[in-house]
Each structure stands twice: as C-alpha cells, then as structure tokens.
Amino acid sequence: MMYPRLKLARNLLTDDGVIFISIDDNEVENLRKLCDEIFGEDNYIDVFIWINKPEGRQISKNGAVGTHEYIMSYAKNSININEFKLSLKFLNELMPNTYNKFSHDILTDEYGDYIITHELYNGNSVFNEITRPNLVFDIYYNPETTDVICENVSESHLHDGYVKIPPKNNNVRNTKYKAWRWGRDKVVNEKHNLEFQQRNDSYVVYTKRRDFDITNVKDIITNINTNAGTQDINNLSLNGLFDFPKPVNLIKFLSSLIIKNNDIILDFFAGSSTIYEAIFNLNLKNNLSTHVIGVQIPEEVEEDSKAFKSGFETIADIGKERIRRAGDKIKSESNNNDLDTGFKVFKLDSSNLDKWNPDYDDVQKTLLDSVNNVVSGRSELDLVYEIIIKYGIDLSLAIEEYNCGEWTVYSVGYGALLICLDNDITKEIADFIIKLKNKLDPITLRVVFKDNGFVSDSDKTNIKETLKINNINEFITI
Ligand SMILES: C[S@@+](CC[C@H](N)C(=O)[O-])C[C@H]1O[C@@H](n2cnc3c(N)ncnc32)[C@H](O)[C@@H]1O
C-alpha cells in the first residue's frame, strides 16, 4: 500500500524538495527500507523523534509505555538541500529535548532571537590546513567594539584591543589545525551570526542559529504534543470532531525548515487540515505565498460520532470547515484581510469527455452518439477545470466569466486561456474574443471551443481564420 504512494510522492517532489512522513513504531522499519529503495540511501535525512504523549500512550502487549512517534525524512536529492542542513540537524537535536522541556537558551540581539548551537569548528576531522586551507585562519575579536579580523595563521599578529582565537589543534598526523566551518569572508561579514564567549583567558566561537520563524521554536518547547493538536482544534470550536490531529506547531516547524516563497506543500493525508492552519501562520508571519494541496479520501465519519451529530458526513467536511475557521481566525486576529486563505475543492473523477469506444456492430449509432461527447451530468465548470489540468495551468488561478450575448467565455489566468463551451456559436464570437484579448492583454493566448459547438463548419473555419489574422493561433476544439 505504501510503495506506490511513496513512488508517486518522489515523482512529485521538486529537485530541492523534502518529504516528511509521520509514522509510529509498528511500521517504522518497513518504511525506512521502502524509502531507501525509492529515494536512495544517500537522500536519507533522518528519523526525527517527537514526544507526542509525554504521559505515555497505551501499554504495549509486553508492558512498554509508548511516548513517542517518528517523522522520517528524505530529500529528492540531498545535494540540493545544503541550505537546510543546519536546520535539519538542529531539528534532530530539538525533538528529543521536547521531552525534558527544551533547555537551550534563546537569546535576543538587535537582529532578533537566536539560539546558540554549534562551535564554529568543523566537525569533519579530515578538514585541516592541507585539505581545506581556506578554512584555516586566526580570528581576532575585539570584545569592546565586537569587531572581527581574520588572518592567515602564518602571517597573523596581535592587534590592540583584540583577542586571538586560533583554529583548534588537530591531533591528526601531519596536520596542525582543525578547520573552521565558515570561510574568513563569512566570519567577517556575518559576525552578527556568531557568539563569542569568554572561557577563562580564551574565547569560544559559536554559530547563532536564527530560525526562519524563531517564535515557532519557543512554541515547540511547551506546545508540541498530541494534546496541543487537540487544543488547536478546540480553539476553533471544533471540539471532539477529530482524533489525534497533529499539533499546528509541529507542522509549522517542519514546514518552516524547508519552505521558500511560492512553494507548494502537498499533504497526502490531510485529515483535519492542520497543514493549512500551519501554512496560513507561516505565510502571514513571513510574508510568503506558499500554496497547499491536501488530499483526503472520502472517508465517512462514524454515525455515532460527535462529528456526524454535528452535521459532518466525511473527514473532508471537517477539514474544509477547519480551513474556513482557521482562515477567519488568523485574519481577524492579525487584522490582515489580504492574507489569502481561500481554497478550492476538487473531487477525483473520470474524464468529462466520453472516450471513443465504438460499438463495431453499430458504428453509425456510436458516431451519432459521439457528436455530443460530454458525459451527461457534468457542468461547464467541470469541463473548464479538465481543460485547465490538461494544459498544466495552475488550478488556483482565478476564473472569470464574460458574456457575449447568450454565450459565456471563461477566462483563466487573465486571458491566457479563453474557453467557450456553448452551442450554436457563430463568427460574432471571434470579434468578442479579439476585444477581450485587447482588454486583458495576455502574453500568450489559447482559445478552446466544443467541436460540435458551431452552427456550421464554415462558422468554425471563419472564426479560426479571423482569430489567426489577429495573432491568435492556438485554436483548439474538444
Ligand atoms: C493521521 S490522519 C492525518 C492527520 C492530519 N495530519 C491532521 O493533523 O489532522 C490520516 C488521514 O489520512 C486519511 N487517509 C487514509 N488513507 C488515505 C488515502 N489513501 N488517501 C488520502 N487520505 C487517506 C484518513 O482518512 C485520515 O483522515
């Protein structure tokens, strides 16, 4: 069951994409093996542990009390995720600590909050003055002015008011020094991301970890367990409608490690739609427009459940209501009505167009039946969306309707695609489309009609030629 989905997930990832998979101890080893095969062992990032039930879950048949679950993570291609590596490493340190109440210091300077994480020395023991000469140098630090100077070890000399911080000695044969993790330019230019701490008469240099959304980390300290997920749902007055929702802060934190503006996040198991609430928060805080696609099977809720009694028939109904409420809440609390919390809902279905499937004993009848090739019961908008999907156009783009007498022209992407699915179309439509083109001024333009939508073949040809003269060459009929 998991294999095809993971395979599909990998295909859908961008080259710098990352997948997080939440799993408990029953399947964790199987998942690891599957993922190694599908994503490749080199792309394995980690299995993060999060303590979802600090007070203990159910007792297993052999008497152990479970407290944690796992989040397995793989990259599509680990060489493309360099910039996230520190975050991901950090997450690994953070997760187990949630159990003991996270104990790192969160400090503040003029650039905002930060956490001290690693010493600046390079963890890789083979990095030294021979293998990485550009990473071996002396750092001089002025505690008064906080100024920083870097010099070659062989040429360096003491500067007034500065303390010398040399690269550590290395015990590796034939080399003397251990490399820094940053080059000298970075040390000077980003000194505000370093913390210099006095230890007796010498200094230690740490990198400051500035989180994408640091308040998130603060939240995680106190607020990242299953009860928090339930509380998040209760905060939207949806009490008791969904079992074991993920905490918004967990999803917010994982997402904050990887998202860039305009990214698309896909949640294959949307459930109560926690992912939407998390992304609304991140978008607001960081001025991003990350999109979310949530997938949910049409699972019905139990008839004796609170959800059913409250009028919800499926899990997806609960999810949709959660998105609405979370959107309204964040907009009213932040006083920001421009935040985009809108969503569209699509149901997976067969094509709206009949397949050519002739009855060879009565081909004439099949031919006549095929004149109208739209499956009965489907709306014009169903067809419009199918065309949008076939052209690979963003489903979240606005669709506008323009009327030309009785006919409706749908405009997708501000005129990039114009669709008219009416019958009895005559050449007047061409003039209307040319006017629309001038008004909307799209960079490219395709026009789609129904093949049998024209009054006559000569109308069809006329329209096609008129559009062509006006530089509209993509004339498509379905
Ligand atoms: C553990 S819940 C997800 C929790 C969710 N992240 C939240 O915070 O509410 C798993 C959800 O996946 C759904 N699901 C199960 N199999 C599925 C499938 N094949 N495709 C899509 N959704 C599925 C279930 O109906 C359930 O709502």
Side-chain angles (χ1 to χ4, degrees):
M1 278 296 275
M2 285 198 280
Y3 190 91
R5 276 183 236 174
L6 290 169
K7 197 94 184 147
L8 176 65
R10 186 183 178 279
N11 288 344
L12 291 172
L13 276 181
T14 52
D15 284 344
D16 60 354
V18 172
I19 185 169
F20 294 106
I21 311 161
S22 162
I23 193 106
D24 69 14
D25 46 356
N26 290 308
E27 291 283 1
V28 68
E29 323 133 49
N30 292 336
L31 181 66
R32 175 82 192 266
K33 286 181 189 132
L34 276 181
C35 287
D36 274 348
E37 186 184 323
I38 293 168
F39 293 91
E41 285 173 36
D42 281 354
N43 295 319
Y44 167 72
I45 296 171
D46 219 326
V47 180
F48 305 115
I49 292 166
W50 72 288
I51 311 297
N52 61 332
K53 277 270 178 205
E55 69 280 17
R57 255 182 314 174
Q58 73 277 25
I59 298 175
S60 76
K61 73 176 188 322
N62 292 325
V65 182
T67 54
H68 60 273
E69 285 190 2
Y70 306 92
I71 294 172
M72 195 173 290
S73 180
Y74 280 77
K76 169 86 167 253
N77 191 342
S78 62
I79 58 170
N80 293 330
I81 59 154
N82 275 340
E83 63 185 292
F84 306 129
K85 282 204 168 125
L86 183 63
S87 316
L88 293 166
K89 191 163 176 351
F90 177 67
L91 173 65
N92 201 24
E93 289 167 7
L94 177 70
M95 287 305 191
N97 279 332
T98 54
Y99 191 46
N100 299 325
K101 298 260 186 269
F102 181 59
S103 62
H104 290 58
D105 276 342
I106 299 181
L107 307 170
T108 306
D109 63 14
E110 76 253 48
Y111 298 93
D113 294 339
Y114 67 93
I115 300 171
I116 299 170
T117 53
H118 309 276
E119 274 191 63
L120 189 62
Y121 290 107
N122 208 310
N124 191 335
S125 60
V126 300
F127 282 13
N128 51 50
E129 69 273 26
I130 296 166
T131 57
R132 290 289 186 283
N134 59 326
L135 293 182
V136 174
F137 48 88
D138 286 331
I139 300 174
Y140 289 91
Y141 173 64
N142 189 326
E144 286 275 291
T145 63
T146 71
D147 203 17
V148 172
I149 302 172
C150 295
E151 281 178 349
N152 277 345
V153 181
S154 56
E155 293 160 9
S156 85
H157 59 281
L158 210 55
H159 300 262
D160 263 359
Y162 286 75
V163 285
K164 177 175 171 177
I165 313 173
K168 263 189 192 157
N169 283 341
N170 201 350
N171 293 329
V172 180
R173 209 149 44 101
N174 295 334
T175 62
K176 214 166 154 192
Y177 300 110
K178 197 165 175 216
W180 299 105
R181 283 197 284 129
W182 293 3
R184 56 167 65 188
D185 284 353
K186 189 166 159 118
V187 169
V188 173
N189 296 336
E190 291 190 31
K191 62 176 188 192
H192 58 277
N193 280 325
L194 292 174
E195 168 92 6
F196 294 84
Q197 280 192 4
Q198 188 163 15
R199 289 268 175 82
N200 304 324
D201 54 351
S202 60
Y203 269 75
V204 182
V205 195
Y206 292 97
T207 49
K208 291 180 182 177
R209 158 88 189 137
R210 287 184 196 281
D211 209 69
F212 187 86
D213 180 8
I214 197 102
T215 52
N216 219 345
V217 176
K218 283 187 187 159
D219 293 343
I220 284 167
I221 301 161
T222 51
N223 204 9
I224 191 164
N225 52 49
T226 302
N227 295 339
T230 303
Q231 187 57 47
D232 292 330
I233 290 262
N234 294 353
N235 290 343
L236 299 171
S237 307
L238 292 169
N239 306 39
L241 299 190
F242 199 87
D243 296 332
F244 311 122
K246 293 273 177 300
V248 172
N249 279 327
L250 173 69
I251 306 298
K252 223 168 112 184
F253 184 57
L254 294 171
S255 310
S256 75
L257 298 176
I258 52 164
I259 59 171
K260 300 182 300 307
N261 202 11
N262 294 320
D263 271 355
I264 300 175
I265 295 201
L266 170 62
D267 184 345
F268 275 109
F269 301 91
S272 68
S273 295
T274 310
I275 184 76
Y276 291 84
E277 194 170 342
I279 297 299
F280 291 163
N281 274 287
L282 284 179
N283 277 353
L284 174 74
K285 182 125 202 267
N286 304 288
N287 207 9
L288 300 173
S289 52
T290 311
H291 295 249
V292 178
I293 301 175
V295 182
Q296 174 58 45
I297 45 167
E299 181 178 327
E300 291 177 359
V301 299
E302 305 278 334
E303 285 201 9
D304 59 354
S305 66
K306 184 166 177 206
F308 189 82
K309 288 174 192 147
S310 312
F312 297 99
E313 287 178 13
T314 61
I315 301 281
D317 290 339
I318 304 173
K320 285 183 276 183
E321 187 57 21
R322 174 154 199 189
I323 303 174
R324 285 185 206 107
R325 294 192 187 193
D328 289 348
K329 183 162 182 269
I330 192 166
K331 283 206 284 210
S332 79
E333 283 176 2
S334 64
N335 250 334
N336 181 341
N337 266 321
D338 294 336
L339 185 74
D340 187 356
T341 59
F343 64 100
K344 292 183 180 178
V345 181
F346 297 97
K347 212 170 98 188
L348 198 60
D349 212 326
S350 55
S351 171
N352 297 293
L353 296 172
D354 273 329
K355 271 206 182 131
W356 173 245
N357 191 8
D359 172 358
Y360 290 105
D361 295 330
D362 194 351
V363 174
Q364 192 176 2
K365 180 174 181 301
T366 313
L367 272 170
L368 286 171
D369 287 350
S370 307
V371 171
N372 185 3
N373 58 348
V374 176
V375 175
S376 66
R378 303 291 170 90
S379 70
E380 279 199 348
L381 265 183
D382 290 340
L383 256 178
V384 167
Y385 275 109
E386 181 164 349
I387 295 165
I388 291 177
I389 290 173
K390 287 198 164 136
Y391 282 110
I393 293 171
D394 187 343
L395 281 171
S396 65
L397 284 177
I399 299 179
E400 290 145 323
E401 281 184 38
Y402 294 92
N403 293 320
C404 171
E406 300 274 282
W407 306 319
T408 306
V409 176
Y410 296 91
S411 155
V412 186
Y414 308 103
L417 181 63
L418 296 178
I419 304 170
C420 178
L421 301 169
D422 284 302
N423 294 320
D424 302 325
I425 291 175
T426 54
K427 61 184 173 29
E428 281 75 43
I429 196 84
D431 299 331
F432 185 76
I433 284 180
I434 291 158
K435 275 198 208 122
L436 259 186
K437 179 189 173 213
N438 294 337
K439 177 175 162 188
L440 301 171
D441 198 20
I443 299 171
T444 59
L445 172 53
R446 284 176 183 149
V447 189
V448 180
F449 295 99
K450 259 184 355 186
D451 201 34
N452 61 348
F454 305 94
V455 164
S456 68
D457 279 353
S458 68
D459 280 288
K460 179 178 171 184
T461 312
N462 245 327
I463 294 168
K464 188 173 178 180
E465 290 307 315
T466 312
L467 294 177
K468 203 171 179 179
I469 296 167
N470 285 276
N471 279 330
I472 303 172
N473 296 312
E474 281 209 64
F475 175 95
I476 297 138
T477 55
I478 57 168

